[in-house]
Amino acid sequence: EFAGALPEPRTPSCREPYGILVTGVGGTGVVTIGALIGMAAHLEGKGCSVLDMTGLAQKGGAVFTHIRVAEIPEDIHAVRVAAGGARLLLGCDIVVAGAFDSLAKIEAGATRAVVNSHVAMTGEFTRQPDLEFPAARLAEAIEAATGKGASDFIDATRIATALIGDSIATNLFMLGYAFQKGLVPVGGEAIERAIELNEASVEANKRAFLWGRRMAADRDAVERLVDEAAPEPASHRATTKLEDIVATRMDFLTDYQDAAYAERYRALVERVRAAEAKATPGREGLAAAVARYYFKLLAYKDEYEVARLYSNGDFIKRVEAQFEGDYRLEFHLAPPLVAERDPDTGHLKKRRFGQGMLRAFGVLARLKRLRGGPFDVFGYSAERRLERQLIRDYEGMVEEIDGRLDHDNHGLAVEIASLPEHIRGFGHVKDTHLAAARKREGELLAAFRAPAARPTAAE
């Protein structure tokens, strides 16, 4: 499909200094892009200035590389791309590309943007676990700044990883895409020669650059190839219809435990769906909340589930797709029956186990039917008893909601049913989140049980 030579794009003029702003995250090769373009310009006898602004965080922090290319070196009088001076915004990370400092370099009608749409959460997520990634808002801001039709958004990380085998190829892939679109004022031969002179992962970088060019020339064909080579797992696809939510989770629960366990889940969701339709016709959300969060409680990650996830074949496939040659697997675990406790904190301490744990996982996964029964040796721990109690408590709470549901308290009912979303982590981390969730549950249930205020005749 890609046997033929690619058409050589028309190189944009740089009689006037041509400004490029490359934005991304430190440690992913943003600075390398500037170095390659600078060397390519030098090889062609052009003038080029490159200014890297890495800030305080050279790894994981925002990086801005200002590039200016001119036919005559003496025409470059400043190294920074001025406000509105970028003819190309090469956004290797959408968060940095959508930042004020990036948008300020754009001039509507003159700047083209090529942006990696891949979602990579920022470090703030560790402090705000409910933080939502503003991908749509960032894309809208970039397109509003460039003008309609002047911005290309590509999930370059996913595509480059599937084609090259490493996400570090993303930025070279982006450069290839922008080059083929005629947005880079140096030739392809010069860029490839610069890659060779850089002497780092030469062949992989050349392939990434070539695949970026192919993506620009025939996007549909490359995306079809990626979908065939690395199809997105069904578990990664977002589902919004209640029927799909229930169906995918029933399949999971069947593998997790058995068909009867999955039917227990389906029966409760169906009961809530019927109650919601009867008590609040036209309103939605409660059944979907129960479908999501009752499942979360049912599918608690215990020793059997950890063993199943490691031994069902998917883990090894992903390891083999990422690594080759000789490698060694180690597992850091804190088995509750044998792990020691930290004398200061009282928390279980993890131990390191070798690759032989994979065989142990296979054996343990086959014992999942013991879960919750009299022969479940793990089930007697306080944490496992709590997991099962949370399920029973939730079922009782849902039954109460069904009996009291009306149009006035529907929103409260959805919020109550969604409370398990805030029960996160394991061990002492989970205990902290659970305490906060129970406090919030008491407040919401009190409001739900209170009779709705009715307007008096005088009112």
Side-chain angles (χ1 to χ4, degrees), residues 200-255:
S201 304
V202 173
E203 292 307 315
N205 284 333
K206 280 187 172 182
R207 288 202 310 273
F209 180 70
L210 177 59
W211 276 114
R213 294 185 62 185
R214 288 169 170 168
M215 181 76 176
D218 193 342
R219 182 166 180 160
D220 290 341
V222 173
E223 287 183 339
R224 282 197 303 272
L225 184 64
V226 170
D227 289 340
E228 292 170 4
E232 186 179 22
S235 59
H236 291 186
R237 298 176 198 145
T239 51
T240 55
K241 292 184 178 179
L242 180 60
E243 295 80 2
D244 295 336
I245 293 172
V246 173
T248 55
R249 284 157 176 77
M250 283 191 69
D251 289 342
F252 186 98
L253 290 172
T254 300
D255 291 338

Side-chain angles (χ1 to χ4, degrees), residues 342-399:
D342 187 292
D344 297 322
T345 65
H347 302 156
L348 293 175
K349 295 168 62 176
K350 288 187 177 182
R351 291 172 51 193
R352 187 167 58 190
F353 296 85
Q355 191 157 330
M357 279 301 299
L358 284 174
R359 291 189 295 273
F361 285 144
V363 173
L364 185 56
R366 290 193 290 272
L367 299 176
K368 66 181 182 179
R369 292 182 182 276
L370 300 178
R371 180 186 283 121
F375 299 107
D376 177 8
V377 294
F378 305 107
Y380 292 101
S381 70
E383 187 168 358
R384 296 295 161 252
R385 292 199 305 271
L386 175 62
E387 302 279 13
R388 295 194 296 273
Q389 186 60 50
L390 287 174
I391 294 171
R392 292 191 292 269
D393 290 347
Y394 190 84
E395 290 169 341
M397 184 174 67
V398 167
E399 184 176 354

Side-chain angles (χ1 to χ4, degrees), residues 268-300:
L268 181 65
V269 176
E270 176 57 29
R271 191 161 71 245
V272 173
R273 186 203 63 76
E276 184 176 31
K278 180 180 179 181
T280 60
R283 303 284 294 274
E284 296 180 347
L286 179 58
V290 172
R292 287 188 172 95
Y293 299 114
Y294 183 44
F295 164 80
K296 180 181 178 181
L297 295 177
L298 285 170
Y300 58 89

Side-chain angles (χ1 to χ4, degrees), residues 46-345:
K46 296 174 180 175
C48 183
S49 67
V50 180
L51 173 64
D52 298 314
M53 302 180 67
T54 59
L56 295 176
Q58 294 187 10
K59 293 282 188 181
V63 176
F64 301 85
T65 292
H66 296 245
I67 305 169
R68 304 189 81 214
V69 182
E71 292 287 352
I72 304 172
E74 290 75 17
D75 287 343
I76 299 176
H77 303 293
V79 293
R80 287 187 62 161
V81 175
R87 293 298 164 260
L88 169 64
L89 169 63
L90 190 63
C92 301
D93 177 83
I94 193 171
V95 173
V96 187
F100 173 79
D101 288 346
S102 303
L103 299 179
K105 310 304 180 187
I106 294 173
E107 181 183 351
T111 306
R112 289 287 304 274
V114 176
V115 181
N116 181 9
S117 62
H118 179 74
V119 172
M121 291 300 293
T122 64
E124 187 62 23
F125 179 72
T126 61
R127 292 183 289 272
Q128 297 185 49
D130 295 318
L131 185 69
E132 292 186 9
F133 193 89
R137 181 171 57 80
L138 291 167
E140 288 172 3
I142 294 168
E143 191 162 31
T146 61
K148 192 171 179 61
S151 299
D152 289 2
F153 297 94
I154 320 151
D155 190 350
T157 300
R158 184 180 77 89
I159 296 171
T161 302
L163 295 172
I164 312 300
D166 194 335
S167 63
I168 202 67
T170 300
N171 294 354
L172 262 296
F173 178 89
M174 295 281 292
L175 179 61
Y177 185 96
F179 168 78
Q180 191 64 29
K181 287 290 185 179
L183 302 175
V184 181
V186 289
E189 289 185 8
I191 293 175
E192 292 195 357
R193 180 57 182 151
I195 292 172
E196 293 171 353
L197 292 172
N198 191 45
E199 296 184 346
S201 304
V202 173
E203 292 307 315
N205 284 333
K206 280 187 172 182
R207 288 202 310 273
F209 180 70
L210 177 59
W211 276 114
R213 294 185 62 185
R214 288 169 170 168
M215 181 76 176
D218 193 342
R219 182 166 180 160
D220 290 341
V222 173
E223 287 183 339
R224 282 197 303 272
L225 184 64
V226 170
D227 289 340
E228 292 170 4
E232 186 179 22
S235 59
H236 291 186
R237 298 176 198 145
T239 51
T240 55
K241 292 184 178 179
L242 180 60
E243 295 80 2
D244 295 336
I245 293 172
V246 173
T248 55
R249 284 157 176 77
M250 283 191 69
D251 289 342
F252 186 98
L253 290 172
T254 300
D255 291 338
Y256 175 89
Q257 182 72 20
D258 53 32
Y261 200 65
E263 177 57 28
R264 174 183 176 182
Y265 163 77
R266 187 204 65 78
L268 181 65
V269 176
E270 176 57 29
R271 191 161 71 245
V272 173
R273 186 203 63 76
E276 184 176 31
K278 180 180 179 181
T280 60
R283 303 284 294 274
E284 296 180 347
L286 179 58
V290 172
R292 287 188 172 95
Y293 299 114
Y294 183 44
F295 164 80
K296 180 181 178 181
L297 295 177
L298 285 170
Y300 58 89
K301 191 174 286 185
D302 59 3
E303 292 77 8
Y304 303 108
E305 179 63 356
V306 170
R308 184 184 75 85
L309 293 174
Y310 273 123
S311 63
N312 66 2
D314 183 60
F315 170 73
I316 291 298
K317 285 181 182 177
R318 286 186 285 127
V319 170
E320 291 174 346
Q322 185 70 29
F323 303 101
E324 59 185 17
D326 292 332
Y327 56 83
R328 183 179 65 202
L329 295 176
E330 290 184 347
F331 301 90
H332 295 255
L333 307 168
L337 299 183
V338 297
E340 297 178 0
R341 290 192 177 273
D342 187 292
D344 297 322
T345 65

